[in-house]
Amino acid sequence: METDSAARSARRLAAFLARQWHLLLAAVIVCAGVGFLVAASQPTLSASTATMLLADPNEAGTGRAVVDPSRHVRGEARQVTSTPVLVAARTLLNDRLTVDELRHRVRAEAADQLDQVSVTALDATPEGAAQVANAVVAAYRDHVREQARFAAAAAVAQLDERISSLRDQLAGIDEQLAAGRDADGGAAGGGQDDPGLTAARQVLLARLLSLQSRVEEITVSAAAQGDGVRLVEDAVAPDSPAQPRPLAAAALGGLFGLLLGGAAGWWQERYRRRADRPAEPAAVLGAPLLGEVPRLPAGGEDDQVAPEAAEPGSAAGQAYRALAESVWRAMTTAGGPAPGAGTGWVVAVTSPRPGDGRSLTTFNLAAAMAGAGRRVAAADADGRGRGLTRLAGPADQPGLAELGADLPVPPAPRPVEPGGSAALAVVPAGARPAGPAPPEQLRQAFDRLREHADIVLVDTPPLLVDGDAAAIAARADAVILVVDRGSRLRVLARARQRLALVGTPVLGYVFNRSGAGQPGYGDYGYGCDYDLVDSEGPGHGAGRDRQDPQPPAAPAPRERPAATTGAGSATRERAVGLAAAAAEGDAGRARVPAGRGGTEPCGS
């Protein structure tokens, strides 16, 4: 498991480097260049280091016990750069540098495991750096010796005062003893010493001898300790300057640039990366690519709505036919219905945002499937956008909204023949509901449509804008997601999370407006009834979508007379499908003139 996880991590890292190599390379080059220029602009300074091995104060006989030798070494390292030492070093350097300059150019470091202090000095010349380091070491040693002599003299002075006091006391006792002997001798012919005075004299004499011995010890220890340095390694002139080092600075800048570029690349991958290639959304959505539809050239002809029927040899016509076969194979693999089984699948066609080409994809996919001889119905479940209804015919007739209600409806959906192709049953949105369709009515409408088609393609509202989309997708058998070229990957990630909560299987996604080209059929707007909210924001209605503005609506095609309805004509003859009760049978085909009634499709 750990090996597989490491392999996946390595593949993800390799893929990230492959996608962001230009950003990483630019960051490394820029930061390395900045580091090189900054280093090259610095003044030339040489560094030289002198090393001192300190003596153990516990062995030097100073009389002060040191519990933590490493702490003692750190204290001595701080004393090296103290003001008295630097003042003395300045004198040794003949006032060539000020105390502040010495404080900025001299650095003392204590070793972790040894009683060692390293003194490093910077100067404009190699010889000057060595001279400064050696002068600071010499000043430190002189300062330590002076401190030792001062401390020894102070201690000896205190002891001398106590010795003088003891001697005065001894002199007083001796006088008392002498006076006692004279008095006794005169009275009795020979005197005796007072035992108490004799004992006191012995105690004072012992203390006097001890203090005198201590004075000798302090004098000897001060002379033995000296400057507290056991060994000194003098600084020598270096062969190369310590700064500037442009190559080292460039390498450090390049490393920083790599980290900075990696952070910027991660941020771009997380927040700014867009789906510019058909295969890019697959990893984010966790679903396969069903097909890609190219962007069509601008125009108002009917073949911009149903290119697979009006112009079979066009790139769009071939793309929709390939998409239809891919969707059918995906359904078959997932256990979809057999042709004529009477229990068709309901597939919700949705998109993350408005304007992704959802309605036009639904209409053309249904037309391509119908042209392949399959029983297909296209239903408009977008009660607000009503894009499929505006594409396929008049919007003033009952449709899906009434199919699940107990209302009298015509027997069956009437077909639409796009461009003279095979009939396609289209169910319009119907009357505008006051709110979302009740779940039971929606289920009943889908059940009635299953009996009339092998596959029912439902044009569903945008997934991240309208809350009805999740409710509709939850009652479908599968979901197809339409992804517009240039969609942000984090928007697709949010769409995947929404679909995961719904729980309906996702057959795959359609990559719309693939490749370069001028705005065409896919530029019909989606702004008639929806507010273009920021679909990347935290919720519905949070604000206008400034990142992905609504594409401009294509101009309405001109009306064509009903007399131009031949089988090979590019004119679209349409009859709007009405939803109906299931067991009534098929209705005859009705035709209406081509056109959109002066209203552009909305919700595409």
Side-chain angles (χ1 to χ4, degrees), residues 576-603:
V576 179
L578 299 180
E584 297 292 340
D586 295 331
R589 297 183 178 181
R591 300 179 183 271
V592 297
R596 302 187 182 93
T599 304
E600 289 296 339
C602 183

Side-chain angles (χ1 to χ4, degrees), residues 110-163:
D112 294 334
Q113 303 296 332
L114 300 175
D115 297 338
Q116 177 178 299
V117 176
S118 300
V119 181
T120 303
L122 295 174
D123 198 70
T125 63
E127 294 78 9
Q131 183 183 11
V132 171
N134 292 330
V136 172
V137 169
Y140 164 77
R141 299 181 68 182
D142 292 341
H143 178 71
V144 172
R145 279 193 293 265
E146 186 65 26
Q147 280 188 324
R149 286 194 296 267
F150 179 79
V156 169
Q158 292 179 357
L159 292 176
D160 285 343
E161 291 179 359
R162 296 174 61 184
I163 289 173

Side-chain angles (χ1 to χ4, degrees), residues 15-299:
F16 173 78
L17 295 177
R19 292 190 300 267
Q20 300 293 338
W21 67 268
H22 55 288
L23 179 61
L24 297 175
L25 181 61
V28 168
I29 292 176
V30 170
C31 291
V34 170
F36 183 89
L37 294 177
V38 171
S41 64
Q42 294 178 348
T44 302
L45 292 176
S46 297
S48 184
T49 302
T51 304
M52 296 184 296
L53 184 62
L54 305 183
D56 189 350
N58 294 323
E59 299 176 357
T62 59
R64 55 191 182 104
V66 177
V67 179
D68 188 359
S70 63
R71 184 176 180 181
H72 166 71
V73 175
R74 291 194 299 270
E76 295 303 312
R78 287 192 293 269
Q79 191 172 189
V80 170
T81 55
S82 63
T83 299
V85 173
L86 296 180
V87 170
R90 178 189 178 189
T91 302
L92 295 176
L93 294 170
N94 299 321
D95 297 335
R96 182 166 64 87
L97 298 173
T98 64
V99 174
D100 289 337
E101 290 175 338
L102 286 173
R103 184 172 285 111
H104 287 91
R105 293 190 181 189
V106 176
R107 183 179 70 254
E109 296 179 345
D112 294 334
Q113 303 296 332
L114 300 175
D115 297 338
Q116 177 178 299
V117 176
S118 300
V119 181
T120 303
L122 295 174
D123 198 70
T125 63
E127 294 78 9
Q131 183 183 11
V132 171
N134 292 330
V136 172
V137 169
Y140 164 77
R141 299 181 68 182
D142 292 341
H143 178 71
V144 172
R145 279 193 293 265
E146 186 65 26
Q147 280 188 324
R149 286 194 296 267
F150 179 79
V156 169
Q158 292 179 357
L159 292 176
D160 285 343
E161 291 179 359
R162 296 174 61 184
I163 289 173
S164 178
S165 176
L166 289 175
R167 284 177 177 174
D168 291 342
Q169 294 179 26
L170 284 173
I173 291 176
D174 288 342
E175 291 178 359
Q176 294 179 18
L177 289 174
R181 284 194 296 270
D182 291 342
D184 291 344
Q192 295 287 335
D193 291 338
D194 186 353
L197 292 176
T198 303
R201 185 180 186 281
Q202 293 296 331
V203 172
L204 292 175
L205 184 60
R207 293 176 62 185
L208 178 62
L209 294 175
S210 176
L211 291 177
Q212 290 176 343
S213 176
R214 179 60 181 158
V215 169
E216 293 178 357
E217 289 178 1
I218 290 176
T219 304
V220 173
S221 297
Q225 181 185 7
D227 54 15
V229 178
R230 180 180 300 175
L231 181 65
V232 175
E233 183 178 350
D234 292 332
V236 297
D239 296 332
S240 60
Q243 69 175 42
R245 291 185 175 179
L247 295 181
L252 185 61
L255 179 60
F256 175 76
L258 182 62
L259 297 177
L260 182 63
W266 175 87
W267 181 84
Q268 184 177 11
E269 293 261 335
R270 179 68 177 83
Y271 294 103
R272 303 294 297 176
R273 187 182 168 201
R274 298 177 181 270
D276 294 325
R277 297 179 179 85
E280 288 179 341
V284 179
L285 296 174
L289 172 65
L290 295 175
E292 55 179 303
V293 179
R295 180 185 294 271
L296 296 185

